Amino acid sequence: MAEITHPPMEQLQDLEYCIDSNPSWPETVLLAFQNYILMLGSSVFIPTLLVHAMGGSNGDKARVIQTLLFVAGIKTLLQALFGTRLPAVVGGSFAYVVPIAYIISDSSLQKISSDHERFIHTMRAIQGALIVASSIQIILGYSQVWGLFSRFFSPLGMAPVVGLVGLGMFQRGFPQLGNCIEIGLPMLLLVIGLTQYLKHVRPFKDVPIFERFPILICVTIVWIYAIILTASGAYRGKPHLTQQSCRTDQANLISTAPWFKFPYPLQWGPPTFSVGHSFAMMSAVLVSMVESTGAYMAASRLAIATPPPAYVLSRGIGWQGIGVLLDGLFGTGTGSTVLVENVGLLGLTRVGSRRVVQVSAGFMIFFSTLGKFGAVFASIPVPIYAALHCVLFGLVAAVGLSFLQFTNMNSMRNLMITGLSLFLGISIPQFFVNYWDERHHGLVHTNAGWFNAFLNTIFMSPATVGLIIAVFLDNTMEVERSKKDRGMPWWVKFRTFRGDNRNEEFYTLPFNLNRFFPPT
């Protein structure tokens, strides 16, 4: 047999900057702004999906987007400083859409005749549910319960989970790109061309600008192209979906956004609390924990760090719970998760620097207060983001599958677990999604709305379904006989903070805080 030239490697070797190394300040600022531009896609799309259904106006939507960006900046900074300390952007989560849709359809809110009053009361109900549900993450994180549960993880179990964190986002890829193929496809081809075929071209000094700043370059070119198409009347008389997807003047954000607005807690009024709403929201909190855990695993690999130990993972989940609490207090209209697209950007640019993400948090806070300026960037058409998602979600999925190099993939046991987890992780959620209709009825449809929302949310998440299947099978099928096949000899040293000397370099708290919060 020919010699194997690519043995398993604990850390990726071809990244330029790891978690603790930093580019020059001009590069850092541009990379941070690139992270900000990328996270705008989710930050605009979620309020666009929900605010009008809540009864809100375009002005309300602009204000919710500002609030979401402001709080995202705070959460990202807290996570990078005191949480996992990985270069991960924390923003709005799509996992919360189902329970929020359940709250929106509540009969007590639907009977409010005034749209604006209905929006305010719905927002307060969402805030109350988020505040209560955040306690789940805070308790599971700071009590180390989530860390204890992570002891059941292995490379074999994590590979499909992290893979599904990327693959499970397929609906936000080409299906959205295809809504405006004349914008989305050139964007996709341009990103691939610049980052893969022109990455060694360096017109300015020693900086590979096409590899380092592909989003800034590609978004600028295709956005200008989209503006020209809109101004020339190319979409006049086209169907509504085409106009919404392709035109650059359909977001109605610039005209409705204030010049300056500083979001503050309880800006919508005092939150209202309901047991049913809170229980429904807890399902999204659990899903976001699973998805964020997978994203943290991918981020650690793309930042050339060790997999986060149980203590660090719990610390990050605890701070994410604080983030959901902030979402409830400020009224962002949704909860928190790690943005998968920004994790993929670490690999695309080959920069895993923590400082870049910290500076990007500053951009989020700054532009959220300057409404008109932020609204300009927030009006980028969705198909442009969808093209980026095709590349970035796919990259994260591949990072997840790379964990399989530490397992024995000549084992039928491992092949069965991996295949079943991946297939059912996509198939089961899609089955549930097919039953989701405009009246917010899902496959689980009993008289208890909170119960319906709870189960539908859990089983509409590919990563959550994949985790349930992979971890259960991996810890019940021939466990003792398969320790080496599962990759446990490599994985076990990362379970505890002191299991590997590199953990201290990557995950120690700043300002010498480890004296007061000693790791376990």
Side-chain angles (χ1 to χ4, degrees):
M1 186 176 68
E3 183 183 353
I4 297 174
T5 57
H6 303 291
M9 302 189 72
E10 289 189 352
Q11 295 173 304
L12 296 174
Q13 300 298 305
D14 55 351
L15 275 78
E16 295 288 335
Y17 297 96
C18 71
I19 188 169
D20 284 327
S21 60
N22 302 307
S24 65
W25 273 109
E27 275 190 82
T28 296
V29 171
L30 287 173
L31 287 163
F33 186 66
Q34 189 166 240
N35 267 281
Y36 164 73
I37 292 294
L38 180 59
M39 65 87 60
L40 278 176
S42 297
S43 302
V44 173
F45 192 77
I46 294 174
T48 301
L49 195 66
L50 297 173
V51 168
H52 291 308
M54 295 162 63
S57 62
N58 286 326
D60 294 323
K61 181 175 76 171
R63 193 173 168 192
V64 170
I65 292 171
Q66 281 183 273
T67 305
L68 184 58
L69 285 171
F70 182 81
V71 178
I74 296 174
K75 293 181 296 189
T76 299
L77 203 55
L78 289 173
Q79 191 64 245
L81 285 173
F82 309 115
T84 60
R85 306 215 69 217
L86 287 165
V89 174
V90 182
S93 170
F94 283 85
Y96 290 79
V97 169
V98 173
I100 289 172
Y102 158 65
I103 295 173
I104 291 172
S105 62
D106 191 301
S107 58
S108 64
L109 296 170
Q110 285 295 319
K111 67 183 181 183
I112 300 174
S113 56
S114 167
D115 282 345
H116 183 67
E117 284 297 311
R118 180 161 59 88
F119 168 75
I120 294 296
H121 281 81
T122 303
M123 179 61 81
R124 291 177 183 176
I126 293 170
Q127 286 181 258
L130 286 169
I131 290 170
V132 174
S134 68
S135 62
I136 295 291
Q137 271 190 333
I138 294 172
I139 292 170
L140 291 179
Y142 291 124
S143 69
Q144 294 293 311
V145 170
W146 189 249
L148 291 173
F149 177 69
S150 72
R151 301 294 177 94
F152 294 101
F153 298 167
S154 72
L156 183 67
M158 279 293 97
V161 174
V162 180
L164 287 167
V165 165
L167 293 176
M169 301 286 191
F170 69 92
Q171 292 288 2
R172 292 174 57 197
F174 209 88
Q176 289 185 348
L177 182 156
N179 290 332
C180 190
I181 199 76
E182 62 269 33
I183 291 176
L185 191 57
M187 180 68 186
L188 178 60
L189 295 176
L190 195 58
V191 170
I192 295 172
L194 260 60
T195 59
Q196 303 307 311
Y197 294 97
L198 298 178
K199 62 184 178 182
H200 298 301
V201 176
R202 304 189 178 195
F204 302 107
K205 296 183 179 179
D206 294 327
V207 180
I209 61 168
F210 296 134
E211 181 181 59
R212 196 78 83 237
F213 312 112
I215 290 179
L216 294 182
I217 296 170
C218 297
V219 167
T220 301
I221 293 172
V222 179
W223 192 14
I224 292 172
Y225 167 58
I227 291 171
I228 293 172
L229 288 178
T230 301
S232 65
Y235 303 113
R236 197 172 294 123
K238 296 291 184 180
H240 176 72
L241 178 61
T242 302
Q243 302 237 12
Q244 285 293 113
S245 301
C246 300
R247 294 181 68 99
T248 57
D249 57 0
Q250 291 294 296
N252 296 316
L253 292 176
I254 300 174
S255 59
T256 55
W259 281 103
F260 180 83
K261 184 73 176 180
F262 196 85
Y264 55 91
L266 307 182
Q267 59 186 338
W268 310 105
T272 57
F273 299 92
S274 162
V275 174
H277 294 170
S278 300
F279 271 114
M281 197 66 79
M282 287 177 186
S283 62
V285 167
L286 294 172
V287 165
S288 70
M289 285 170 57
V290 174
E291 292 177 348
S292 294
T293 297
Y296 288 138
M297 293 293 179
S300 68
R301 190 145 178 79
L302 290 171
I304 321 181
T306 54
Y311 169 79
V312 173
L313 202 55
S314 280
R315 193 173 70 192
I317 293 299
W319 276 106
Q320 196 167 307
I322 298 293
V324 176
L325 178 62
L326 291 174
D327 288 325
L329 291 173
F330 279 83
T332 62
T334 187
S336 305
T337 194
V338 175
L339 296 184
V340 181
E341 54 267 41
N342 289 80
V343 173
L345 186 60
L346 302 176
L348 190 68
T349 60
R350 301 175 192 248
V351 177
S353 170
R354 183 190 294 124
R355 179 187 288 175
V356 169
V357 169
Q358 291 171 337
V359 175
S360 75
F363 278 117
M364 297 171 210
I365 295 171
F366 177 73
F367 282 111
S368 67
T369 57
L370 300 178
K372 296 280 186 194
F373 290 100
V376 170
F377 299 116
S379 62
I380 298 171
V382 171
I384 290 179
Y385 284 108
L388 292 171
H389 294 164
C390 289
V391 176
L392 299 173
F393 292 157
L395 183 55
V396 171
V399 170
L401 296 180
S402 74
F403 280 103
L404 293 174
Q405 68 183 300
F406 305 109
T407 69
N408 177 14
M409 291 313 290
N410 291 313
S411 162
M412 282 305 302
R413 172 194 182 274
N414 289 1
L415 291 172
M416 173 64 76
I417 292 172
T418 304
L420 202 60
S421 302
L422 284 171
F423 185 82
L424 292 182
I426 294 174
S427 185
I428 291 176
Q430 188 59 40
F431 180 63
F432 274 75
V433 168
N434 288 341
Y435 280 86
W436 183 255
D437 59 27
E438 294 180 356
R439 296 172 297 169
H440 306 141
H441 292 162
L443 183 63
V444 181
H445 186 46
T446 67
N447 292 328
W450 66 268
F451 181 74
N452 303 337
F454 192 98
L455 286 187
N456 285 324
T457 300
I458 295 293
F459 288 103
M460 286 170 69
S461 165
T464 306
V465 173
L467 180 85
I468 293 170
I469 296 169
V471 172
F472 175 78
L473 294 178
D474 191 34
N475 286 276
T476 56
M477 290 172 55
E478 302 177 335
V479 181
E480 289 302 317
R481 291 172 51 192
S482 305
K483 281 186 177 180
K484 288 186 178 180
D485 289 350
R486 299 167 64 206
M488 292 310 293
W490 172 76
W491 184 264
V492 71
K493 62 184 176 183
F494 302 120
R495 283 182 168 180
T496 60
F497 190 86
R498 304 196 186 282
D500 190 291
N501 293 332
R502 293 168 294 179
N503 289 339
E504 189 170 347
E505 174 191 350
F506 300 136
Y507 300 116
T508 297
L509 291 172
F511 316 121
N512 210 17
L513 289 173
N514 273 53
R515 289 185 306 164
F516 307 103
F517 306 100
T520 55

